[in-house]
Amino acid sequence: MNYTQAWLEDPTSIRGILVEVTVKDVLGTYGTAGDETVIYLSNIGYITADSLTSYKPYLTGVLQTTESLSVSGGLSMSFGDIQIANPNGDLDSWLDSSKFIWVNRPIQIYLGDPRWVLDDLAAVHNTGLAGFGKIFDGVVADIDSSSREVLNLKVRDKLQRLNVPLTDNKLGTYGTWGSGQTNQDTIRPLVFGEVFNISPILVDPSLLKYMFNDTTSGTSSSNLVIEIRDNGVPIYTDASIYTNSATRPDGAIIDLNASTFTLKAPPAGTITASIQGLKRSVFLNTGAFVEGTYVNNIANLIALIVTQYGTATTRLTLSDLDLLNLSTFSVNNTQAVGMPIFDRSNVLTVCQQLADSANAQLFINRLGKLQLLQIGVTTFDPYVTIIDDNILHHSLRISARTEVIAATKVGYCKNYTPQTALASSLPATHNVMYNEEWYSTTVIDTDVQAAYKLDVSPVQKDTNILGGIDATALATTSNNYFKVPRTTYSFTGTSKLLSLHLGQQVTLKHNRFGLSSGKVGQVISLSPNWLAGTINVEVII
């Protein structure tokens, strides 16, 4: 027997938890001083057949996680602590940061049966050959003690590794300044995808040179300077955009490799530009990082940012990406997007904003793989039918009902430099266009509005989408999903349901709440109790 669905459902199974947690062993208590050492813990006591790996039976509690896909657009994970027995203070030294550093160290948790005889550590990890099944792959936030008798490892999912500035690369000493440089501490800009009307950084006033992208930290260049404007008046337009060479504005010299441009004449006012950003990508079919390829697709940009930007020691690796999920997402969500970075923006926040442009949410699954999940779009996990026998008696209830929506307003093509004092030569419509921060589109379902007597003045949803067609499609998708009340059913499931995954499609059949014929829904919350063999589930239908 090994970790399978049959074993999960077998009432004779003995459930054991194995924890593998890495710690920086400052003084070399368990090995070489300064090494990253793995400590093996369990609630059962387990040793491999080669006697090289022993899981100490120190655990008195187990990890409790709740993963939730919010209907309002936010994904949440909540965690309990891993509780370690310490009745006599034998492990008090683990709290001493001069001896052990736990913060941001990896931790994996496995489930299996202590009766399984496994040759070595590799066999423990090999589910296909009688191994234990991985049920969590995350990081340690820190270690603490909630009482005299225990230590507590505080754990988080891998998304916490992205809770760092995307860049802190400052301009530094640059250019010739008559009265002294004043912007040395300005963050060098980064542009992902395409952006409209940003304000580039003046880096050398003696040359009228501006920087619009940071290429110092890599070998990539920028893809295209679409247009440069002086108080709204085009002074440079790329030949691929403006094909009439006789009248094309050509008032700047472009250096895509350095991501700078130099004006040919002094500006009359504010200089702005529309840019296609860095030529870097991650090929989601293979996971390969590629220089020299421009992309403006949500999934590709997120994969690029989480693996190539932020603090080098906490970045995700390509092995941390669910490539099937991300590549499928990129095929189904092709809207062009863009985002400029001018400050110490947080990696996780930036990626969540990009994902939200497709009503998607970042998620790290139990295997520690990054995914993009969407309400109303189910995952590739096997289709499951949940019947009364899979639900603990009288645990089924209705926990929420969504409000019906008849109209959705989406903001797109953000103007990153709204301007009111533009050149008088511009048409009046241009003054209005550059004064507004957003283009927007509103999609109204008049039948739903009339049936439910709803207003059609929704709050705008801001996105990083560039085009009106894509913004309209996003608004229409939201309307179509929420044009009827959606019901969330909560219940406690038996061990059969421990293998459910967030976002999975299920059919819920029960003799209550009109479910007797079965209704198709999506799993939006899971809270497993691995040792008890039960799981709290929420399904939206």
Side-chain angles (χ1 to χ4, degrees), residues 19 21 188 382-383 474 488 498 501:
V19 172
V21 57
R188 293 175 180 241
Y383 184 91
L474 181 67
T488 298
L498 283 170
H501 294 96

Side-chain angles (χ1 to χ4, degrees), residues 237-451:
T237 306
D238 188 81
S240 65
I241 308 296
Y242 199 118
T243 56
N244 188 338
S245 60
T247 60
R248 181 176 72 86
D250 192 24
I253 300 170
I254 310 298
D255 185 343
L256 289 176
N257 288 324
S259 291
T260 61
F261 60 78
T262 303
L263 302 184
K264 295 180 179 180
T270 301
I271 295 296
T272 60
S274 294
I275 304 292
Q276 287 184 349
L278 292 167
K279 293 175 69 174
R280 311 181 98 181
S281 182
V282 172
F283 284 178
L284 298 177
N285 55 339
T286 64
F289 168 63
V290 181
E291 292 278 13
T293 300
Y294 167 79
V295 295
N296 56 14
N297 178 280
I298 293 171
N300 291 84
L301 288 179
I302 288 174
L304 173 67
I305 291 169
V306 300
T307 58
Q308 305 301 320
Y309 293 89
T311 305
T313 55
T314 63
R315 292 172 189 166
L316 300 186
T317 65
L318 295 177
S319 64
D320 294 320
L321 306 181
D322 185 335
L323 293 178
L324 175 60
N325 170 273
L326 295 176
S327 60
T328 303
F329 185 95
S330 70
V331 170
N332 295 332
N333 297 272
T334 58
Q335 54 267 55
V337 295
M339 179 176 286
I341 307 298
F342 290 103
D343 52 26
R344 287 167 56 86
S345 296
N346 184 283
V347 173
L348 182 56
T349 300
V350 168
C351 291
Q352 286 173 331
Q353 289 176 359
L354 288 170
D356 195 41
S357 294
N359 284 338
Q361 300 162 41
L362 272 73
F363 177 65
I364 297 287
N365 66 15
R366 293 172 189 167
L367 298 180
K369 304 285 188 179
L370 178 70
Q371 298 179 323
L372 288 170
L373 302 182
Q374 297 166 292
I375 283 285
V377 181
T378 55
T379 62
F380 287 107
D381 297 294
Y383 184 91
V384 173
T385 297
I386 300 172
I387 61 175
D388 202 351
D389 288 348
N390 310 137
I391 299 172
L392 297 192
H393 188 55
H394 284 178
S395 68
L396 180 69
R397 63 185 180 89
I398 291 176
S399 58
R401 294 258 290 179
T402 63
E403 295 183 3
V404 173
I405 293 176
T408 301
K409 182 179 182 181
V410 172
Y412 67 98
C413 194
K414 182 177 181 179
N415 174 11
Y416 287 93
T417 311
Q419 297 163 275
T420 55
L422 297 177
S424 58
S425 60
L426 287 173
T429 54
H430 285 215
N431 278 275
V432 174
M433 178 177 68
Y434 288 108
N435 184 38
E436 297 295 332
E437 186 177 6
W438 297 94
Y439 284 86
S440 67
T441 183
T442 302
V443 176
I444 301 171
D445 190 319
T446 54
D447 291 338
V448 173
Q449 190 271 333

Side-chain angles (χ1 to χ4, degrees), residues 58 83 152 162 236 257 402 472:
Y58 293 168
Q83 191 164 281
N152 302 85
L162 308 179
Y236 170 88
N257 288 324
T402 63
T472 298

Side-chain angles (χ1 to χ4, degrees), residues 495-508:
S495 57
K496 175 183 173 62
L497 305 184
L498 283 170
S499 56
L500 288 178
H501 294 96
L502 204 63
Q504 189 171 358
Q505 179 175 308
V506 297
T507 292
L508 185 58

